[in-house]
Amino acid sequence: MRRIKRNVQCILLGVIIVFLARTSAAQEFLPSPPPDRALVYILDHQNKLVALPFETGQTPLHPEKVAGSTKISFVELKGEHATTIMTTTMPRWFLFTYERPGAHPPFLVWLTPRRGARRVTAIAQRGTSGFAISSEEIVKPSIRVLFKDGDQVFMEFRPRTSLMPGEYAIIGDDLARIATFRVLAAANH
């Protein structure tokens, strides 16, 4: 009798978990692709896409040239803080990117404050142009494709774990188009 009761309890618990998971997924808002495919978006409190402002980064590397040797340097953004403040530690970003060999979506990176600026480690690899971001400073995302148009896709990005308070950037291969934001500790907002 106890065994039957335990089995019934396990089945009921499983049904409840499945129901809650479906209800949660059904209530999640997924936006339609916006007309401007060059921006990085977040959802505001009314589930409207809002573009993050871009900042221009600077680096002593020469990403437009093929590197003669491997060099470790940085990408720097002027100012101590981004103008956009996130009120959640689990934000969702939406952007367009290309789905083709050799292309990668922009990276979400942790920025380190340094003398009135913010930096991330950048690496120029011998024999290649462009730069890479140090893997220790990349925040690993969960990615979901929402819309596909040829080799261009509209994607949702989320951090896999809650973001720590601090400065962040979404960096692709264009230093003039770095989307930035900061996350404040819960007591600060």
Side-chain angles (χ1 to χ4, degrees):
M1 191 63 166
R2 249 190 234 180
R3 189 172 175 192
I4 293 172
K5 187 177 180 180
R6 184 180 302 159
N7 287 343
V8 169
Q9 288 173 336
C10 287
I11 290 170
L12 284 174
L13 181 61
V15 168
I16 290 170
I17 289 171
V18 168
F19 174 76
L20 290 175
R22 285 185 178 172
T23 303
S24 174
Q27 292 177 354
E28 183 176 67
F29 177 78
L30 295 174
S32 297
D36 191 340
R37 295 180 175 201
L39 302 175
V40 175
Y41 299 91
I42 57 172
L43 285 178
D44 68 8
H45 296 293
Q46 289 118 13
N47 285 332
K48 293 185 180 174
L49 290 174
V50 176
L52 285 173
F54 287 124
E55 292 186 53
T56 299
Q58 298 174 346
T59 182
L61 299 173
H62 300 283
E64 69 285 349
K65 296 180 183 176
V66 174
S69 62
T70 298
K71 296 177 185 168
I72 298 175
S73 189
F74 57 85
V75 171
E76 182 175 81
L77 298 155
K78 298 296 181 195
E80 291 184 38
H81 300 292
T83 58
T84 301
I85 298 172
M86 294 284 181
T87 57
T88 178
T89 59
M90 292 295 289
R92 298 165 61 195
W93 303 274
F94 301 88
L95 56 89
F96 285 91
T97 190
Y98 289 96
E99 187 177 62
R100 53 174 98 132
H104 62 79
F107 293 117
L108 172 62
V109 301
W110 169 270
L111 297 172
T112 303
R114 181 177 160 89
R115 297 184 189 159
R118 296 153 287 150
R119 285 186 175 184
V120 64
T121 304
I123 304 159
Q125 187 176 355
R126 179 184 174 184
T128 63
S129 60
F131 60 89
I133 300 295
S134 172
S135 62
E136 293 85 30
E137 296 170 60
I138 296 173
V139 178
K140 307 298 187 268
S142 292
I143 300 171
R144 178 168 34 174
V145 174
L146 303 177
F147 173 79
K148 187 171 182 173
D149 182 17
D151 63 351
Q152 198 172 38
V153 292
F154 182 58
M155 302 176 123
E156 173 194 30
F157 286 76
R158 294 178 187 218
R160 292 182 187 172
T161 59
S162 294
L163 296 178
M164 302 284 294
E167 300 288 327
Y168 295 87
I170 299 172
I171 299 180
D173 54 7
D174 185 350
L175 289 175
R177 300 177 54 79
I178 299 175
T180 60
F181 64 93
R182 72 180 143 146
V183 174
L184 297 179
N188 290 347
H189 59 254

